[in-house]
Amino acid sequence: MYIYNVTVSIEKTLAEDWLNWMKTVHVPDVLNTGHFIENKICKVMNVDDEGATYSVQYTFNTIEEIEAYQKNHAPRLQAEHSERYEGKYAAFRTLLEIM
């Protein structure tokens, strides 16, 4: 099994709005693609910066699933996030293998 991890640092003034939008709109949209088993949103505790930092984790079974997600769904879903929070966040993505 694998985890698609998206780490996001959002301006503190937008953190509550962002977290609510992620829980009610974005994460359900990602899960509705059918490529992921479960999701967790974690607040990163050991970061000392001006934003609020979160790790958004999506668990999946095969590399083919993440490839299909990235090809068929990620551009649209990432664009929706970018349009809503443009210039107010930084994000990076990693793929993790569960050992």
Side-chain angles (χ1 to χ4, degrees):
M1 285 191 7
Y2 303 89
I3 295 172
Y4 174 50
N5 181 78
V6 184
T7 302
V8 178
S9 179
I10 186 86
E11 289 184 5
K12 285 184 180 178
T13 59
L14 294 173
E16 186 176 332
D17 175 79
W18 179 86
L19 191 56
N20 181 60
W21 183 78
M22 289 295 289
K23 288 178 176 181
T24 61
V25 177
H26 187 75
V27 168
D29 286 349
V30 172
L31 294 176
N32 284 336
T33 68
H35 296 291
F36 300 101
I37 301 165
E38 66 179 359
N39 164 263
K40 293 179 185 173
I41 300 176
C42 306
K43 184 165 176 43
V44 178
M45 303 297 292
N46 64 341
V47 175
D48 186 26
D49 63 19
E50 295 181 17
T53 303
Y54 298 88
S55 169
V56 184
Q57 302 174 355
Y58 303 94
T59 306
F60 61 99
N61 284 316
T62 69
I63 293 299
E64 290 78 18
E65 287 174 311
I66 193 65
E67 290 171 345
Y69 170 77
Q70 289 174 327
K71 178 181 178 185
N72 301 316
H73 305 284
R76 172 183 54 83
L77 293 167
Q78 290 172 11
E80 290 172 2
H81 183 275
S82 294
E83 289 170 16
R84 185 173 175 94
Y85 297 103
E86 185 173 358
K88 307 294 185 186
Y89 76 98
F92 68 91
R93 294 161 180 81
T94 51
L95 292 177
L96 308 169
E97 183 177 5
I98 299 173
M99 304 309 289

